[in-house]
C-alpha cells in the first residue's frame, strides 16, 4: 500500500489539473478557451493551474495569432505523459 501511495502525484490531486491532463493526454493540443469551456472554470482559475503544470514541466504552450486575436495552445510534454500515466496506474491499483 505504501508503495502505491508513493506513485500518487500531488500535481494531479486537484480536479482542475486532473481534468487538464486528462483532456490533453487524449488530444494533440487544446487552446485556452477550449479548456476553459470543457472544464467550466474561470480564466484566472485555469491560468493558475496551467502555470502550475507548466512549472512542473508537464505541459508546454505555444502562442500564435488568429487574425488579430492571440491564441494559446497547450500540449503535454513526454515527462507529463509519464507522470500522469503513473498517477492513474496508482489510482487503479488502489481501487483493485
Amino acid at each position: 500500500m505504501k508503495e502505491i501511495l508513493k506513485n500518487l502525484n500531488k500535481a494531479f490531486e486537484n480536479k482542475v489539473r486532473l481534468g487538464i491532463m486528462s483532456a490533453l493526454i487524449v488530444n494533440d493540443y487544446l487552446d485556452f478557451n477550449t479548456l476553459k469551456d470543457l472544464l467550466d472554470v474561470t480564466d484566472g482559475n485555469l491560468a493558475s493551474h496551467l502555470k502550475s503544470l507548466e512549472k512542473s514541466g508537464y505541459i508546454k504552450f505555444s502562442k500564435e495569432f488568429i487574425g488579430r486575436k492571440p491564441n494559446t495552445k497547450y500540449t503535454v510534454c513526454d515527462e507529463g505523459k509519464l507522470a500522469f500515466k503513473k498517477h492513474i496506474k496508482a489510482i487503479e491499483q488502489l481501487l483493485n
Side-chain angles (χ1 to χ4, degrees):
M1 179 70 114
K2 264 186 178 176
E3 201 58 40
I4 294 171
L5 293 175
K6 283 183 186 177
N7 290 327
L8 292 175
N9 189 323
K10 286 197 176 284
F12 308 129
E13 284 180 356
N14 182 282
K15 77 173 191 170
V16 176
R17 284 186 230 139
L18 188 67
I20 291 167
M21 290 300 292
S22 297
L24 291 176
I25 283 282
V26 298
N27 291 283
D28 292 334
Y29 67 86
L30 289 172
D31 64 34
F32 186 89
N33 287 327
T34 301
L35 281 168
K36 185 176 86 166
D37 292 341
L38 183 67
L39 301 171
D40 194 29
V41 293
T42 63
D43 287 7
N45 194 2
L46 180 58
S48 67
H49 289 293
L50 288 167
K51 183 170 237 100
S52 174
L53 290 170
E54 185 187 328
K55 282 183 180 178
S56 298
Y58 295 153
I59 65 170
K60 59 185 175 183
F61 70 93
S62 63
K63 292 188 179 228
E64 62 184 21
F65 281 88
I66 298 176
R68 291 181 172 224
K69 296 183 107 180
N71 187 37
T72 306
K73 292 181 179 178
Y74 295 89
T75 57
V76 177
C77 299
D78 290 340
E79 184 180 341
K81 285 179 186 175
L82 291 173
F84 190 68
K85 287 178 182 179
K86 185 176 179 182
H87 180 78
I88 295 301
K89 186 175 181 180
I91 291 172
E92 288 172 347
Q93 289 175 333
L94 282 173
L95 295 174
N96 289 331

